[in-house]
Amino acid sequence: MRAGAIAKNGGALLIALVLIFPVYWMFASSLKPQSEILTKDPVFLFTPTFDNYTKATGVDLFWTYVTNSLIVTIGAVLISLVVALAAAFAIARMKFRGRKGLVLGIMMAQMAPWEVMVIVVYMIARDGDYLNSLGTLTAIYFVMVLPFTIWTLRGFIAAVPVELEEAALIDGCNRGQAFMKVIFPLLAPGLMSTSLFGFITAWNEFAMVLILNKEKESQTLPLWLTQFQTAFGSDWGATMAASTLFALPVLLVFAFLQRRAVGGLTAGAVKG
Amino acid sequence: MTVHSQGAVSTAPEDAPGRAAGESTTPPPPTGSQEIHTPPRGRRSRLGGLVPYLLIAPAVISMAVLLLYPLVKNVILSFQQVNRKELITRVPEWVGFDNYTELLKDPDFWTVVLRSLVFTVANVLLIMVIGSLIGVLLNRLGTKMRLVLSLALMLAWAMPIVASVTVFRWLFDEQFGVANWVLRSLGFSGYEQHNWFETGFSTLVIVTLLIVWGSIPFVALNMYAGLTTIGSELYEAAKMDGANGWRTFWSVVFPNLKPFFMITTFLEIIWVFKAFAQVYAMNMGGPDHASETLPVYAYITGQGLFRYGLAAAISVLTIVMLIAIMSFYFRLILKQEEEQ
């Protein structure tokens, strides 16, 4: 029994260490002085320095990348929440012709092969003069996260007992008021987890911005990350500092939402 | 989650008939039941009319314009020749099935297809097996250790893909990467300046490590969540009947979590099959095209070789393969909805 417990906990610790190592190594490398990054044997004890951060954030247009990423990500998430809330409510609470087809369509859209369609999206954007535009990116990211958002919110709305809503209707609320007063407040966890998912998807998106936005002024942080690797070699210190900064918002939100976020995400995703 | 007790009926009879039957009639735990949406009929029909259509209109229109249109356009483009010249003149030339026949005759295309399939199978297998095992472990740990492990899983999960690609490239750097140092320290020779990106195969091995690392948290945490919905009576019953761990897994856990395994597996298949950033940003499909998977192959054919029509044909074929995979998934979900 004892030996079993030790093996179990030891195994868990080992797995945890392996899982964390890349994150730790990114962070540790980002704080190393240049001379201790380019060593054959890694240095574990060093005096931390912020040089790499200064270099990473000192590149031309850094704040433009930050602003662009924020605009595109927050824009896509907010629009998808509004659009999805309406659709999810209709699907969860109303009967109408074509409902089944819509549900099937949303399920299929959830698997949309965006990564495979970059070329054609590029051509459409070029023909319509939508290249190098934050609006185009926002629109695409919005549709990328929309099906998942509808799907998850539908589950959360369905989980609110119909009786609650009916009570509000009897008390003289109309359908809209009943929704705002009864269902909406109960959706907080659903809204949080779907926004988190949307945030990660849009924040991370690489293929579309790579192909659609060749002008630096319109690029986002994922492309900034790759900037420190050139044909002449890589500035690993700056790359790791940039990666840390890029990952930070997501890591923080995850830490903040923790269990609730995971529960919500898995509820939505595994529901399929 | 839809992983509650519905599977119990088919499962445990061999092990504990009485208990299993009792279990399946108990209502599902409150946390798991999100499927209560059959409101009274009368009100629905009165409220019917235009309202639901107005509510779904924004979603439907935006998906039609931004998703369906590109899909259709992609199919049209795959029957055209659009190279550098046509791109400038904007007058495409219709070529019928030429792009497709060119691809199907090209051994390179088949190499990429095979590579994509093997890559997907290997990744998904590793993700599912390791993820599930970690999920089982989570379920058996004490509170403290469980917190430590879930935090580690969460950190790996939350790492943005592009950031993790750069981190893995750094870990496996030829000269200064920590991987070579670890292997050297463990006494393996030949890792003095081992270039992990020298062949397509080893590049894809690194991509696999990255994808598996980033994907197991999803499976593990879901598995754990699913396991907590299985009543402890079932385990006890199995134990009383003298089932060992392996037997308990196949007779109790697996049947109960079948929907979880099915859906997660298909989601992972689709995610891995479509993975672009991980493969492209790792080594741009190189060296010498040897780590190209289908999405990267399509991208490079289009953007790199300026053969947009051909690239569209590649993506149509990729989508056809995806649909073949997805059809299983949809059948499964539809079946599941009917059972409920």
Side-chain angles (χ1 to χ4, degrees), chain B residues 212-235:
Chain B
V212 171
W213 172 77
S215 311
I216 44 178
F218 176 77
V219 176
L221 291 166
N222 268 305
M223 175 81 181
Y224 169 59
L227 284 172
T228 55
T229 65
I230 301 178
S232 53
E233 314 90 75
L234 281 179
Y235 292 117

Side-chain angles (χ1 to χ4, degrees), chain A residues 54-119:
Chain A
T54 321
K55 204 187 287 166
T57 56
V59 295
D60 276 355
L61 298 171
F62 169 69
W63 289 106
T64 311
Y65 296 129
V66 174
T67 332
N68 289 350
S69 266
L70 286 175
I71 291 174
V72 166
T73 307
I74 295 174
V77 169
L78 285 183
I79 302 171
S80 74
L81 278 184
V82 174
V83 173
L85 210 50
F89 182 71
I91 294 171
R93 283 289 200 253
M94 296 172 166
K95 267 201 173 292
F96 54 92
R97 267 171 156 252
R99 186 180 161 281
K100 243 193 164 165
L102 181 66
V103 169
L104 202 69
I106 291 169
M107 255 159 40
M108 310 244 288
Q110 210 165 315
M111 328 253 113
W114 284 103
E115 294 78 358
V116 183
M117 295 197 312
V118 280
I119 300 293

Side-chain angles (χ1 to χ4, degrees), chain A residues 19 40 112 126 175 266, chain B residues 44 87 170 192 213 222 274:
Chain A
L19 283 168
K40 244 182 67 202
R126 185 198 55 124
R175 244 349 285 270
T266 53
Chain B
R44 285 327 124 216
L87 193 71
W170 169 227
E192 208 43 56
W213 172 77
N222 268 305
K274 292 195 305 179

Side-chain angles (χ1 to χ4, degrees), chain A residues 40, chain B residues 173-175 177 179-185 187-196:
Chain A
K40 244 182 67 202
Chain B
D173 185 64
E174 182 177 356
Q175 273 183 292
N180 279 345
W181 172 78
V182 169
L183 288 168
R184 281 200 309 272
S185 313
F188 293 99
S189 57
Y191 290 95
E192 208 43 56
Q193 294 220 338
H194 182 69
N195 181 1
W196 292 92

